[in-house]
Amino acid sequence: MTALPAAGTTVTRGQQLYRVNDQPVPLFYGGTPLFRPLDKPGLVGRDVQVVASNLQALGYDVGTQPKVGSVITQPAADPAPGGSALSPKDGGGTAAPAGGSSTGAPSGGPTRAPAAPTAPTAPTSPTAAAGAPAAPTQTTVESGDGVVTGSLIAAIKRWQKAVGLPQTGSLGIGDVVVLPGAIRIGALQTQLGEQGAEALMSVTPTDKVVTVPVDPANVGSIKQGDKVTISLPDSSTTPGTVSGVGTAVKGNAASNSAAGAGPGGPPTVDVTVAIDDPSTVKDFDSATVQVAFVSATATGVLAVPVGALLALSGGGYAVQLTGSGGLVAVQTGMFAKGMVAITGNGITAGTQVVTAA
């Protein structure tokens, strides 16, 4: 490892994530890591599409890709004497630097650097001469596949020149890190000069979200898409939307004790809230906030301040009308934010009542 990002750094598409042997390892977006050397025209697969789509997004002309259903002649593997394909380390392919790509979403787990795998052994035929080239095969392009074309190879070379990589026109395992999107660097788990064979760092998505521990008894009233109000540390509020409701109960004191893990906190279920306007929290890296959920809604009701309610000796409540000073028995409805819904004889919109100062 010859360069590492600082904790808290945001890395986006095409930017250097780290350096191995003083060669940059950039970040590409996608769901399929580079699992083989892309070093021959005609190779077909989703890993090729990842390269093509990222280069195109970075402004490189990758040419026209073959359409779905096209039949492509796959290049034959270069056989070793006896019919075995050479492994990358033996010169039969592009050797992979330390620092491989991650195959999972950046949920805080470590990005690992796998060693370059050995290429599979090509089948041999009892009648084939030792070292005879294998016959090429044909592959049909499916949805989501890309194809290594001459235009794509040329685009790779232009990109390699721009980022300071050798202009080979090919990519090997570990030459780029593939993750679903932009990431924020968490804790580093290696240091400069190390081999990079273990975990390198933890990463998380760049979108800021709020995680709310909710009593399991109340989770049933919360649904994905519900609107909430988030109270921030600077006393301002911002709207949010429930983006996920967990299913795992955490902190069950009884089960923790039974398992020998010691007493735990009260049981909770995590509810994830997305912030509707991310600019409202740009000054906060992490913070404790309060989230107000709407558990029930009432429309078209008449409401008065809770302080206007007077308890009656026989039970129930009344309000005192201004002017006449008479009391009117009322039935109460929903309480929310210091207000209460009421109904009663003579209570109409605009009725004035006495309330506590």
Side-chain angles (χ1 to χ4, degrees), residues 6-58:
T9 302
T10 297
V11 183
T12 59
R13 188 201 312 264
Q15 292 185 334
Q16 172 183 296
L17 183 55
Y18 48 81
R19 294 179 76 92
V20 176
N21 299 332
D22 209 28
Q23 297 294 320
V25 179
L27 173 66
F28 276 7
Y29 296 170
T32 303
L34 304 192
F35 57 88
R36 57 179 173 171
L38 301 181
D39 55 359
K40 295 182 180 67
L43 290 175
V44 179
R46 290 181 296 170
D47 51 343
V48 181
Q49 180 57 39
V50 166
V51 174
S53 60
N54 276 272
L55 292 181
Q56 193 169 36
L58 291 170

Side-chain angles (χ1 to χ4, degrees), residues 126-151:
T127 60
T137 59
Q138 291 186 325
T139 300
T140 301
V141 178
E142 298 181 355
S143 178
D145 283 344
V147 181
V148 176
T149 62
S151 298

